[in-house]
Amino acid sequence: MDSFAEVESSNTTNNNNNNIMSSSSSTSSRYENQKRRDWNTFGQYLKNHRPPLSLSRCSGAHVLEFLRYLDQFGKTKIHTPICPFYGLPNPPAPCPCPLRQAWGSLDALIGRLRAAYEENGGKSEMNPFGARAVRLYLREVRDLQSKARGVSYEKKKRKRPPPTTLQFSGVTPPSGSGGNNRSNITHGV
């Protein structure tokens, strides 16, 4: 499924060519390959939806339904508030808490699907992957998992290059100014 129109048509007909790679995608990056697989998976989900759902009628609510469906395949232990290991990053023993999709995986998936939607002809203002409900859901999942697993999901601050030091050419400042020329600078009012 390489285009928006193709996803639309595959939802109404039995298209068995979903996994055929074009010659240009054989040299694609790992990210591009994953994005294509995610796009195909979402297209298949829409096709299997009851009743079948076309991409043009897909909303943020359908994306949330898809994310909740994916939870059953998760591999990350998310402790419930009544679990004795709630909030511990490395629990000392097994517990019956559910396995879920990790927030980082869901966040990355939505990013790839959001990009794929637009690359395949969808309009950015109609992108269901960028819906407010999806952003709020991801924030809620992040916060709940952070508390349950005792892991902080704070944004990493980018390292900025150290400030460059000014090299003075050895020229002495004009006499009487004491080297501070700031009094002569006027600021726009």
Side-chain angles (χ1 to χ4, degrees):
M1 257 181 260
D2 293 329
S3 69
F4 185 78
E6 220 176 294
V7 170
E8 289 294 314
S9 67
S10 72
N11 288 331
T12 57
T13 63
N14 285 335
N15 182 356
N16 293 327
N17 297 327
N18 290 345
N19 295 321
I20 295 177
M21 286 177 37
S22 66
S23 61
S24 65
S25 63
S26 63
T27 59
S28 296
S29 70
R30 193 170 158 192
Y31 170 81
E32 292 297 326
N33 288 332
Q34 185 64 53
K35 184 167 53 173
R36 180 183 40 78
R37 283 193 301 271
D38 293 338
W39 184 247
N40 288 339
T41 301
F42 186 72
Q44 193 65 39
Y45 174 79
L46 292 179
K47 193 162 132 180
N48 294 335
H49 191 273
R50 293 293 168 242
L53 188 62
S54 67
L55 189 58
S56 61
R57 299 184 61 79
C58 180
S59 70
H62 296 109
V63 173
L64 295 180
E65 193 178 285
F66 175 65
L67 294 177
R68 290 183 185 112
Y69 158 78
L70 290 178
D71 250 351
Q72 67 183 312
F73 307 110
K75 297 179 182 137
T76 302
K77 179 78 72 168
I78 305 300
H79 301 288
T80 61
I82 60 170
C83 177
F85 306 132
Y86 183 81
L88 295 179
N90 298 309
C95 68
C97 292
L99 294 174
R100 304 253 193 244
Q101 290 288 340
W103 165 76
S105 299
L106 293 176
D107 189 51
L109 170 69
I110 290 299
R112 290 189 300 268
L113 288 172
R114 190 174 183 175
Y117 179 87
E118 293 175 19
E119 287 171 10
N120 290 298
K123 295 181 180 172
S124 62
E125 61 274 4
M126 302 295 291
N127 193 332
F129 304 102
R132 184 173 189 270
V134 174
R135 291 193 316 270
L136 291 174
Y137 176 78
L138 287 174
R139 187 178 306 149
E140 183 181 319
V141 168
R142 181 193 65 197
D143 293 346
L144 288 172
Q145 289 189 7
S146 176
K147 289 175 188 165
R149 298 179 62 223
V151 176
S152 174
Y153 288 120
E154 297 301 318
K155 260 190 172 177
K156 293 178 182 156
K157 293 186 179 180
R158 289 190 328 171
K159 290 184 180 177
R160 294 188 178 167
T164 57
T165 56
L166 298 175
Q167 297 287 333
F168 292 104
S169 62
V171 177
T172 58
S175 62
S177 67
N180 186 349
N181 214 4
R182 289 185 189 182
S183 59
N184 296 340
I185 298 173
T186 59
H187 297 282
V189 179

